[in-house]
Amino acid sequence: QVQLVESGGGLVEAGGSLKLSCAASGRTSSTYNMGWFRQAPGKEREFVAAILWSGDRTYYGDSVKGRFTISRDNAKNTVYLQMNSLKPEDTAVYYCAASDVLGVQAYRYKTWGQGTQVTVSS
């Protein structure tokens, strides 16, 4: 089973950038499809981005398209989320997750990290 640890969250002003990392460990971690989700207080968990295990295919939620980029380095067993042009509404806890099946639904992802807080000030 794979274990996931997110890092890179913090406080940033609107219009700024952050890069989140998700370090995976465990057997065959590089063969998992990976996703990023976020959850703001009082709101449901929201799909942000996903990437195929090979890195050849990516998906994005409508609210982040054109601003966020998901990537992975299988040699380092790490997935990244580059977030540009951040808005106050991007404030949330960001989670990375691993799945055998690439998808945008949270239920498809069996393993989750502990989350990292991103706060965007106006």
Side-chain angles (χ1 to χ4, degrees), residues 32 87 99 115 121:
Y32 283 93
K87 304 175 182 179
S99 173
S121 63

Side-chain angles (χ1 to χ4, degrees), residues 58-80:
T58 58
Y59 295 99
Y60 295 93
D62 289 341
S63 61
V64 306
K65 280 181 183 176
R67 300 188 298 123
F68 291 11
T69 303
I70 188 171
S71 61
R72 66 190 298 161
D73 184 340
N74 285 342
K76 296 182 178 179
N77 291 326
T78 302
V79 177
Y80 304 98

Side-chain angles (χ1 to χ4, degrees), residues 8-20:
L11 174 64
V12 64
E13 291 184 352
S17 298
L18 277 177
K19 187 173 185 177
L20 306 184

Side-chain angles (χ1 to χ4, degrees), residues 15-91:
S17 298
L18 277 177
K19 187 173 185 177
L20 306 184
S21 298
C22 174
S25 60
R27 288 177 53 186
T28 63
S29 58
S30 62
T31 63
Y32 283 93
N33 304 302
M34 299 296 295
W36 285 96
F37 292 79
R38 67 187 183 186
Q39 189 165 19
K43 294 188 177 181
E44 293 187 354
R45 192 162 293 191
E46 176 188 12
F47 170 74
V48 175
I51 188 166
L52 190 66
W53 68 271
S54 63
D56 292 343
R57 192 182 304 171
T58 58
Y59 295 99
Y60 295 93
D62 289 341
S63 61
V64 306
K65 280 181 183 176
R67 300 188 298 123
F68 291 11
T69 303
I70 188 171
S71 61
R72 66 190 298 161
D73 184 340
N74 285 342
K76 296 182 178 179
N77 291 326
T78 302
V79 177
Y80 304 98
L81 185 68
Q82 177 68 46
M83 306 185 295
N84 298 328
S85 302
L86 283 162
K87 304 175 182 179
E89 51 264 44
D90 294 319
T91 296

